[in-house]
Each structure stands twice: as structure tokens, then as C-alpha cells.
Amino acid sequence: MRVRALPRRAAAFLVLILVFALQAGSAPQKKASWENLDRLLEERKLESAAAEAAELRAAAQAAGDEEAWTRALLQEAQIRLTLGGFETAARFLLEQPRPKEAVHRAAYDIVLAHALRMYTQAYSWEIRQRERVEGAGPGQSADLKTWTQDELLGTITAAYLDAWKDREALSEVPVSRLARFLEVNNYPAEIRGTLRDSLAYQFAEFLAYSPIWTPRQEMELRRLDLPSLIAGTTPADLADPGVHPMAKLAAVLGDLEAWHLAQGNRAAALEARLERLRALHARFDRKAERQLIRRDLEERLPAFRDLPWWSMGMATLAGFV
């Protein structure tokens, strides 16, 4: 059977198609870069940005560059959070290996704890109805839909505690280092400017969130030694589930206050005390209790009169009614 020849124009067109196909196949793939990732984020091309971050993560992991790998990992988690919410971001992080170096691991822990906290708060009613499932939960499955409230809270606490043990290493790391991955505070750098500050305040905020308290913890609140909590000098085992959350909060912020005082950071030390007193004032609402909290601040503020942050102390005092 005779094959019919193609017309000359059609044949030429086919040759062009083949040439372009060969050129496209032989063209080198564009290497992922942070510049390109930033451009994709600015253009709100989030799916492409997630793929770019994944390439950067894989390349850094293959090269053994943990700093770049951690940066790409957290950036990818942040993009996934925007695309799919806190559950998606948390599940992604749980599926990845944890960094080994102290600061990198702490950054991972803080971002993971934040994502899990937001997920737990957003779906609190549904989560409280769950029952434990065999083969699910931390260390067994990253499917958060199978995790109970106790399992979620335990994982959040474990993340904060893991970062807490490395808090000295976080003391010199600016909180702006996490600006790409979290909404960092808008406080002056000398007040809440380090990763150590961010960890302490986020941990304290988590502990103060009373909707996750057990009925027993609610009942035991009045049995706590309020003067000791105000002072913030009583140590507490942060890993002990039997220690009340407010006792842990006082210990966390007391530790931060003492550290800033030892460093000569008086304004930052004052802010740590103010935050502790604000948290206590919110939970201890009896007149005598609030008078005790107010009196402590009244007696301490004059020593900070030379600092601009004294005005924040006065504003806090005005709110203690």
C-alpha cells in the first residue's frame, strides 16, 4: 500500500514542531531559588511557591545544610497553612524529620506548637467529642482528625518544652528570624525582641488559655498561692501534668523576668512581670485578689520611672480595677 506524501508546507510545519520539542526537552530545568520563591509569594502563586519551597528543602537536605533546610521547611509549612489551614500545616510538619541543631529545632517546635494550638482552638468543640483510637495519635499517625484533645495538648506542651530546654541558645536570636513563618509581635526589639521572648510569651499564652483546662484545674485555681504566683520565683515542673497551668505560667514568665534582670534589660524584665500580672488579674477576679495584684505593681513601678516602658506599666495599672 502506498503512503501518501505530506504536502510541503505540512512537512515543514511538522519539522518545526519536532525542533521545538527537542529544544524544550533538552533545555535545563530552572533551579529553585529564594528569589524566585519570593517572587511567587508576592504574586500570590501559592501552589507554585509551595513547589518551589519543596525543591529548596530537598536540595538543602541533600546538601546537608540544616539551616537552609529548616528555613525551607518552615516556609513550606507557612504556605501550606495559607492554602489549607492550620491542620494542613501541622500535619506536614509532623510528617517531616525534626532539625537537630538547637536553634533550628526550637524554631520548628515553636511553629509546630502554634499551628497545633490554632487547630485545637478552631475545632475545640469537635475535638472534645473524640475518643482515643488505637493506632492513631502522636508518633503513630499525622492525621489530626484522629487525635484526642489530650493528645493534641500533650504534643503542644512537648514542643514548647523541647524548645524551652534550649532557651539559652535562643537568647541571642532575633524574633524577626521567624517573621516569614509567624506573625511576630510589634513590640520594640528591646522589649520582646528575641526568640527566647517569643517562646516564653507563646508558652504562657497557651498555659493561660482556660478553655483547655480540666474541671479539676478550674477547681484548684483558688487553692494556689497567689503571692507566690505574683512573685514568679517559685519553680514549677513544667513537664508535670499535675502542676497547675497558672503555676507553670508564673514560672515561665518569672524565669524570663529574672534572665532579663541578670542581663540588665530592665524594660524587658518589667514587661515579663506585667504580662504575668495581666494573666493573673484575668483569672483571679475577687476583689481582695486583684488588690493584691495591683499593690504589687504600684510598689514596683516607681523603680522604672526612668524608662519609657514605665508608661506601659502605668497603662496596665490603670486597667487593674
Side-chain angles (χ1 to χ4, degrees), residues 85-104:
F86 294 109
E87 180 183 357
T88 301
R91 185 174 63 248
F92 166 72
L93 288 171
L94 288 166
E95 291 171 342
Q96 307 305 313
R98 296 171 67 252
K100 296 179 180 178
E101 193 273 331
V103 172
H104 302 155

Side-chain angles (χ1 to χ4, degrees), residues 68-184:
W69 173 74
T70 304
R71 180 186 178 194
L73 174 71
L74 298 184
Q75 181 67 82
E76 188 176 351
Q78 192 275 335
I79 298 170
R80 288 173 180 267
L81 186 152
T82 304
L83 286 169
F86 294 109
E87 180 183 357
T88 301
R91 185 174 63 248
F92 166 72
L93 288 171
L94 288 166
E95 291 171 342
Q96 307 305 313
R98 296 171 67 252
K100 296 179 180 178
E101 193 273 331
V103 172
H104 302 155
R105 189 175 61 245
Y108 167 94
D109 286 330
I110 291 171
V111 174
L112 172 62
H114 174 73
L116 287 172
R117 278 179 54 201
M118 297 301 102
Y119 168 74
T120 302
Q121 292 177 22
Y123 300 96
S124 59
W125 185 89
E126 186 265 326
I127 290 170
R128 285 196 296 269
Q129 315 307 312
R130 296 176 185 172
E131 296 182 0
R132 191 172 182 277
V133 178
E134 289 297 328
Q140 301 179 76
S141 170
D143 183 3
L144 299 184
K145 290 182 173 64
T146 65
W147 290 26
T148 65
Q149 177 167 280
D150 286 345
E151 289 170 333
L152 285 162
L153 298 181
T155 303
I156 295 168
T157 301
Y160 280 132
L161 289 176
D162 187 67
W164 181 256
K165 74 177 188 300
D166 292 319
R167 62 192 181 283
E168 287 299 328
L170 307 182
S171 302
E172 302 301 323
V173 182
V175 70
S176 57
R177 186 162 168 177
L178 288 189
R180 294 177 70 102
F181 323 118
L182 285 175
E183 286 187 24
V184 298

